[in-house]
Amino acid sequence: MAFLCQRDSWARQFTTRVVSCCPVQLPTKNGGKKETLQGFHVILEDTILFPEGGGQPDDRGVINGLPVLRVTRRGPDALHFVLTPIEPGTEVQLELDWDRRFDHMQQHSGQHLITAVADQMFGFKTTSWELGQQQSTVELETPSMAADQVAALERSVNDKIQARIPVVVRHLAEGDAEGDGVRSRGLPDDHSGPVRIVSIEGVDANMCCGTHVSNLSDLQVIKLLGTEKGKKNKTNLVFLAGNRVLKSLAQSHANGKALTALLKQGPEEHVEAVKRLQNSLKQLQKNNLNLQRDLAVLIAQQFKSSPARDPVFVLHRKDGDSEFMNIVANEIGTEETLLFLSVGDEKAAGLFLLAGPTEAVEKLGPRVAELLEGKGAGKCGRYQGKATRMSRREAVKAVLWEFINHGGSEQ
């Protein structure tokens, strides 16, 4: 038996009864971190909430006000995951998250249309598809797709949308000969009962369990965003359908207005304005690098020209990089001087370099990294790495002087 959501994709509210309610754990992610929710699987006599399948994500909604966090299929049943138990036999009111559902209907029906027309026009078979949160992809069995083919496909699918072609759902008995010529990638192993056929009149007929629009005009418009290289000589065609196109257009318009205000140039001049800024930035970075090099040499020369040079040289600069530190070390020389150089935030993270006699650096390097709560590695009299607590530079300085004062041994 098909669920009510499959018999009537437009139903938004529904009254039914609870058949069973069992405790269960739901693995999930919260901010990228894995966690397990303790809850209950509720099975209803029927449901308007679609369980994931056919490439379409599951629906969201509420049962008597309780949020349904996941809907999955097990055999003929839809399992609704909720955090609070509901007594079997209870009459309940289901309410559907319609915005999510209608978005999925537009993307899924859009995929059927794109798949059918791409096959008819170019012989490109669809091998899989993905309904993403922002955009969707159709995987086509072709190593490439030319820009003019993408443009022609986009014109054709939108012509069919404007033609207001009906989308019809039928249920055939399993083994019915009428289903023999229908496009399909196979039924689930645990499928039983009638076979569901989704037809775009005169365009396509496909076995599918998902929810769909009733007329191509419900799609409003399809925008093909281009292609990406797929796996095993396949091509991923990226698309938006329906309200996603409108949202994308609104976002692009808002971005264009913001860029116009920032660049003081109209939309048609944004690209050239950004190119000029990039060129200016590259030149500034080059000039800054040259100045950093000159400064490193000057600092080293000042130290070397001092009549009484300390055996320990310590320097920190907020701006700088590894190259700056290595230039200072090269110019000063490390045969007789122990150098502790660092760049970055004075109290947070940054880079450090310990340079000097090889034996001293080998002994002190790991200790310096430990004090700065960082990691590093070294060879040939240099130990450099990343630090998370630059605020402990004075502690490092004390360790270096203690090493020198005790004749080259750690205390």
Side-chain angles (χ1 to χ4, degrees), residues 193-256:
V195 176
R196 190 166 179 267
I197 309 297
V198 177
S199 299
I200 304 172
E201 290 189 0
V203 179
D204 183 50
N206 182 24
M207 289 185 189
C208 182
C209 64
T211 57
H212 290 271
V213 300
S214 55
N215 191 289
L216 289 187
S217 62
D218 295 324
L219 299 182
Q220 300 167 305
V221 65
I222 286 177
K223 178 60 186 175
L224 303 183
L225 299 179
T227 61
E228 300 172 350
K229 184 175 177 59
K231 56 186 179 182
K232 297 180 181 179
N233 288 323
K234 296 178 182 178
T235 297
N236 295 329
L237 180 62
V238 185
F239 75 94
L240 303 174
N243 290 335
R244 290 194 182 191
V245 179
L246 300 180
K247 290 178 181 178
S248 178
L249 180 60
Q251 185 61 59
S252 295
H253 180 67
N255 291 343

Side-chain angles (χ1 to χ4, degrees), residues 66-82:
L66 298 175
V68 177
L69 304 182
R70 191 79 187 272
V71 189
T72 54
R73 186 179 68 87
R74 185 177 65 196
D77 298 320
L79 308 178
H80 306 74
F81 182 86
V82 294

Side-chain angles (χ1 to χ4, degrees), residues 137-351:
T137 58
V138 176
E139 184 185 70
L140 298 174
E141 199 168 26
T142 176
S144 63
M145 188 173 184
D148 60 342
Q149 291 177 314
V150 175
L153 177 59
E154 181 176 280
R155 285 193 298 271
S156 181
V157 296
N158 282 294
D159 285 345
K160 288 175 172 53
I161 290 172
Q162 293 171 20
R164 299 177 56 81
I165 298 174
V167 179
V168 179
V169 176
R170 295 176 296 147
H171 293 87
L172 303 179
E174 195 168 5
D176 192 320
E178 190 179 344
D180 291 346
V182 171
R183 183 167 54 84
S184 171
R185 293 201 297 274
L187 293 170
D189 294 336
D190 60 352
H191 174 81
S192 63
V195 176
R196 190 166 179 267
I197 309 297
V198 177
S199 299
I200 304 172
E201 290 189 0
V203 179
D204 183 50
N206 182 24
M207 289 185 189
C208 182
C209 64
T211 57
H212 290 271
V213 300
S214 55
N215 191 289
L216 289 187
S217 62
D218 295 324
L219 299 182
Q220 300 167 305
V221 65
I222 286 177
K223 178 60 186 175
L224 303 183
L225 299 179
T227 61
E228 300 172 350
K229 184 175 177 59
K231 56 186 179 182
K232 297 180 181 179
N233 288 323
K234 296 178 182 178
T235 297
N236 295 329
L237 180 62
V238 185
F239 75 94
L240 303 174
N243 290 335
R244 290 194 182 191
V245 179
L246 300 180
K247 290 178 181 178
S248 178
L249 180 60
Q251 185 61 59
S252 295
H253 180 67
N255 291 343
K257 286 183 67 176
L259 284 172
T260 295
L262 290 169
L263 300 172
K264 310 301 181 185
Q265 302 281 345
E268 66 283 352
E269 297 175 317
H270 285 174
V271 173
E272 289 303 318
V274 170
K275 285 181 179 179
R276 289 193 295 271
L277 285 174
Q278 287 179 326
N279 290 334
S280 297
L281 178 60
K282 287 179 181 178
Q283 187 60 49
L284 288 171
Q285 289 173 332
K286 183 178 179 180
N287 293 341
N288 183 62
L289 182 59
N290 290 333
L291 289 172
Q292 289 282 358
R293 288 170 177 166
D294 292 343
L295 179 60
V297 172
L298 179 61
I299 289 172
Q301 289 176 344
Q302 286 179 334
F303 176 76
K304 290 167 68 177
S305 64
S306 174
R309 289 189 291 176
D310 288 333
V312 175
F313 178 78
V314 177
L315 173 71
H316 177 80
R317 284 189 62 82
K318 189 172 183 178
D319 53 338
D321 55 18
S322 293
E323 183 178 10
F324 170 80
M325 294 188 294
N326 278 287
I327 291 175
V328 173
N330 290 339
E331 291 293 325
I332 290 179
T334 59
E335 294 80 6
E336 300 177 355
T337 307
L338 195 57
L339 297 91
F340 172 53
L341 311 174
S342 56
V343 294
D345 193 300
E346 294 182 1
K347 295 184 179 180
L351 305 175

